[in-house]
Amino acid sequence: MTTLELLATPAGVSGVRRALRPYGTDVQLCASELVTNVVRHVGEAVPVTVRVWREEGGRIRLGVSDPDPRVLPVLVADIGTEAESGRGLALVDALAVRWGVEQEAGRKTVWCELFTETDADADIDTRTPKTPERPGRRKPSAGALGQASARS
């Protein structure tokens, strides 16, 4: 497991990407988008915890926690071509197998799971996992609709 504790700032986002490089590009992109959402919607200099770990079945799980359980992510259905923002959660939705939100007293965690092609016994620090193409879209999880989802 990798755990990063930081203050949500634009400069912190690039540090998260660098720290998560061993997990591959898709994990880096999802983490960047989720931390950027904290900066934009909760505020700069908010304490954030980023956790990444391997789940059974070859999945990588990423969780980004912040101290405001009231500000929930919203997947915007249609972003105009001229819009300068609003695509981050759509990117997470496209890359992740599933994603959701866990709300607790005093914090929330936005999480996502990605499949990887590495062996179950591979050392995450020496191998770069890749997210394979998925044969079709899944139905959005309850978390994709802004509802709390139980961790499976």
Side-chain angles (χ1 to χ4, degrees):
M1 177 187 289
T2 298
T3 301
L4 307 171
E5 297 198 10
L6 62 138
L7 297 179
T9 63
V13 173
S14 62
V16 168
R17 277 195 304 270
R18 278 191 305 277
L20 299 182
R21 187 172 292 142
Y23 290 96
T25 305
D26 290 352
V27 172
Q28 289 177 288
L29 285 171
C30 289
S32 294
E33 293 303 331
L34 295 178
V35 173
T36 297
N37 279 350
V38 174
V39 173
R40 285 184 175 266
H41 303 292
V42 180
E44 282 198 44
V46 169
V48 173
T49 302
V50 178
R51 288 187 181 89
V52 182
W53 67 95
R54 184 176 299 283
E55 294 271 300
E56 290 184 32
R59 292 175 290 163
I60 297 290
R61 186 165 171 117
L62 163 69
V64 176
S65 301
D66 70 66
D68 193 341
R70 299 166 298 148
V71 180
L72 297 176
V74 176
L75 180 60
V76 180
D78 190 22
I79 301 294
T81 57
E82 300 298 317
E84 293 184 17
S85 64
R87 293 179 185 85
L89 209 49
L91 176 64
V92 171
D93 187 61
L95 293 174
V97 175
R98 63 189 194 129
W99 67 274
V101 179
E102 294 175 354
Q103 291 174 284
E104 299 175 39
R107 79 177 191 159
K108 75 171 169 300
T109 300
V110 181
W111 57 268
C112 64
E113 292 180 351
L114 301 107
F115 278 120
T116 65
E117 294 177 348
T118 60
D119 298 335
D121 297 326
D123 182 356
I124 195 68
D125 293 327
T126 60
R127 305 266 323 261
T128 302
K130 296 182 172 118
T131 302
E133 290 184 37
R134 290 179 289 152
R137 294 294 300 148
R138 80 243 176 311
K139 290 184 178 180
S141 68
L145 302 174
Q147 304 294 318
S149 295
R151 180 175 174 209
S152 55

